Amino acid sequence: MRLVLFGPPGCGKGTQAQFLGGEFNIPHLSTGDMLREAVAMGTEIGLRAKDLMEAGALVPDEVVVGIISERLDRDDCVNGFILDGFPRTVAQADALDNLLTDKGLKLDRVIEIQVSDELLIQRISGRFSCLDCGFGYHDRFKQPEREGVCDICGANRFTRRKDDNEATIRERFNTYNAQTTPLLPYYRSKDLLAPVDGMPGIEEVTAEIRGILNIS
Ligand code: ADP
Ligand code: ADP
Ligand code: ZN
């Protein structure tokens, strides 16, 4: 299964990708996570990306396409993958198309998670994640079962993203509307786009996605 999870910042792409990755036993590929790792490690890519990410702007296409191109070549992608946060521009989508065509592959679906701006802000402003395993939580909508302890790995250290502040969120929405929404007609014209109502709770959204992918 080769999927793209598509939608604005905070719509729930990472949350649903965690479930889908486990369900199909395929990797969850988040360019945001990969870039944050590069920033934390201080690599050359990280140094190029840091200020742009903090400003809510996109990292240059050739940087993210390079990252994804390398990642798709790894063995764990043979049965498929879930892309989260990539592609984000038409140039990235074209590059992905070329990468896959070269391998004789194609995307199965692009799932668009639709959420109102008001709820997106609530989701982003309460977001935090496990520092050890990266699992995602929310102050109101998804607290760890035992306070202060990660459900998945039992660690007790959590982190919040530096770009999840009000000024940067506004800029990320602008960036999404200007540079990323043109991908909707792009994928619709290829008959790949499947919209999902992302407003209800996590399990309900998962159930909708299961329906689209015919998982019983
Ligand atoms: P969100 O979860 O809010 O959608 P991400 O974690 O996917 O955000 O991305 C965080 C930041 O990383 C983006 O604001 C952007 O600066 C950079 N980034 C992530 N993916 C891409 C991409 N495909 N192209 C360009 N920049 C990207
Ligand atoms: P994205 O990867 O699209 O930026 P996330 O998956 O990180 O979004 O979700 C943003 C925040 O909203 C997280 O704190 C997550 O726990 C929470 N969340 C995700 N989906 C839902 C949902 N359907 N209902 C309530 N909260 C959600
Ligand atoms: Zn954890």
Side-chain angles (χ1 to χ4, degrees):
M1 181 71 74
R2 282 175 288 274
L3 291 178
V4 171
L5 289 186
F6 188 89
C11 70
K13 300 181 294 295
T15 301
Q16 297 301 328
Q18 283 170 352
F19 140 74
L20 288 164
E23 186 87 24
F24 291 109
N25 199 19
I26 51 179
H28 164 204
L29 310 183
S30 155
T31 41
D33 286 348
M34 294 174 199
L35 290 167
R36 276 185 289 280
E37 208 177 298
V39 170
M41 308 228 312
T43 65
E44 205 183 313
I45 286 177
L47 293 175
R48 265 184 96 179
K50 186 170 185 283
D51 291 349
L52 292 165
M53 292 173 79
E54 279 174 19
L58 293 184
V59 172
D61 289 333
E62 78 266 17
V63 173
V64 283
V65 168
I67 293 177
I68 284 295
S69 165
E70 264 178 39
R71 189 61 189 83
L72 292 182
D73 277 338
R74 288 211 223 146
D75 291 349
D76 62 348
C77 291
V78 288
N79 293 323
F81 50 77
I82 299 152
L83 287 169
D84 157 10
F86 180 94
R88 256 173 154 100
T89 63
V90 171
Q92 291 178 23
D94 280 332
L96 175 63
D97 208 35
N98 290 334
L99 285 173
L100 293 176
T101 305
D102 284 348
K103 298 176 197 292
L105 303 172
K106 58 182 190 51
L107 290 175
D108 291 302
R109 274 267 190 240
V110 175
I111 294 177
E112 180 205 358
I113 306 178
Q114 299 177 330
V115 174
S116 71
D117 285 1
E118 199 189 335
L119 193 52
L120 288 174
I121 289 169
Q122 285 182 34
R123 286 192 183 168
I124 294 176
S125 44
R127 162 159 69 185
F128 65 99
S129 62
C130 173
L131 196 57
D132 285 21
C133 74
F135 196 76
Y137 295 96
H138 191 280
D139 291 326
R140 281 168 52 206
F141 306 136
K142 185 168 177 53
Q143 295 167 340
E145 276 166 36
R146 216 149 55 88
E147 203 190 321
V149 181
C150 176
D151 295 352
I152 304 300
C153 75
N156 58 9
R157 305 181 303 164
F158 297 90
T159 179
R160 283 176 201 266
R161 280 169 48 176
K162 204 169 174 184
D163 60 344
D164 280 350
N165 64 73
E166 215 178 305
T168 310
I169 292 170
R170 218 171 304 121
E171 209 33 57
R172 281 155 64 202
F173 285 171
N174 290 339
T175 302
Y176 176 78
N177 289 329
Q179 299 189 59
T180 306
T181 52
L183 285 177
L184 291 169
Y186 177 96
Y187 281 126
R188 198 175 293 123
S189 73
K190 291 179 184 279
D191 219 14
L192 286 172
L193 195 67
V196 158
D197 178 8
M199 301 287 288
I202 294 172
E203 282 78 24
E204 282 111 307
V205 177
T206 300
E208 283 184 71
I209 296 176
R210 279 175 172 281
I212 286 172
L213 300 176
N214 289 317
I215 309 171
S216 52

